[in-house]
Amino acid sequence: MEHRSPSLAAALILAAGCLLAPAAAWAQAEAAKPAPEQEADWSRRLEEAKALQDKGAAQKKEAKEAFEARKTACFKKFRVNACQQDARQKYLQTVNDANHVENDGKNLEREVKKEQLAARDARRQAREAQRASELQAREAEIRAGQENGDSARSARLADKEEQAKAGVERHAAAEERLRKKQEQHEKKVAEKMEKARRREAEAGR
């Protein structure tokens, strides 16, 4: 019957246990993916948001055309100024209602984008946990190899560990850059939409 030293046995047990960690982390990463129902809900709500924004924009366009027509028609009436003032009041009220509709669409879109960004962050964190578990498993293998006196194998594993660390750092840095770029893009889009809304509101006054 073969007998192992207590230190070697403990190292092998530790390595075996750590090898199970990547599987658990992988399952966690899979669980972090949005369910098909969630993806469908996001798509539906984004379509609804776009429809609201299109509706509001169309209402404002129609209101402006109607306003111009009423102003022209006012010249055929006795009280021209009063007629035009009334037309302007109707126009401003219609534009205000249209802005509410359009803003509802923009708010809904921002809400969905925020949820999608949170989901992406959750997936990124799950992937990082998976890579950390894999790195921990490799480190356990190195320790087991050292206990067994296999210096050549330990050297190879150490090299793999360094490569894995470098890969994890590169990947994490790339994902962080992508996340910041996405946030900046969404912020710029939101700012442009807000500026456009203000210009349209000011043009209608």
Side-chain angles (χ1 to χ4, degrees), residues 165-182:
K165 284 183 178 178
V168 167
E169 292 173 356
R170 286 195 302 271
H171 195 85
E175 287 198 345
E176 182 62 18
R177 287 194 300 271
L178 179 61
R179 185 183 68 80
K180 289 182 178 179
K181 185 176 180 181
Q182 180 67 24

Side-chain angles (χ1 to χ4, degrees), residues 73-91:
C74 284
F75 288 108
K76 299 178 182 179
K77 296 186 179 182
F78 179 70
R79 301 178 62 190
V80 176
N81 290 339
C83 177
Q84 289 187 339
Q85 182 63 27
D86 182 61
R88 180 174 176 79
Q89 289 298 327
K90 291 179 180 178
Y91 167 71

Side-chain angles (χ1 to χ4, degrees), residues 5 43 49 55 59 96 99-100 104 109 124 127 142 187-188 194:
S5 67
S43 297
K55 180 181 178 181
Q59 288 176 344
N96 187 51
N99 281 334
H100 283 305
D104 286 343
E109 182 181 16
R124 175 178 56 80
R127 287 192 296 270
I142 292 174
K187 182 178 179 181
K188 288 181 180 178
E194 181 63 21

Side-chain angles (χ1 to χ4, degrees), residues 130-146:
Q130 179 183 355
R131 287 190 290 271
S133 296
E134 291 171 350
L135 183 58
Q136 183 181 10
R138 292 189 184 101
E139 291 173 346
E141 289 180 3
I142 292 174
R143 288 194 296 271
Q146 289 172 341

Side-chain angles (χ1 to χ4, degrees), residues 113-163:
K113 295 292 186 182
K114 185 177 180 180
E115 291 176 10
Q116 290 176 329
L117 181 61
R120 285 195 295 271
D121 285 342
R123 292 196 298 274
R124 175 178 56 80
Q125 291 173 3
R127 287 192 296 270
E128 289 175 355
Q130 179 183 355
R131 287 190 290 271
S133 296
E134 291 171 350
L135 183 58
Q136 183 181 10
R138 292 189 184 101
E139 291 173 346
E141 289 180 3
I142 292 174
R143 288 194 296 271
Q146 289 172 341
E147 288 288 338
N148 200 31
D150 188 356
S151 59
R153 180 170 176 269
S154 296
R156 288 194 301 271
L157 290 174
D159 182 62
K160 288 182 180 180
E161 179 192 21
E162 290 299 322
Q163 293 177 8

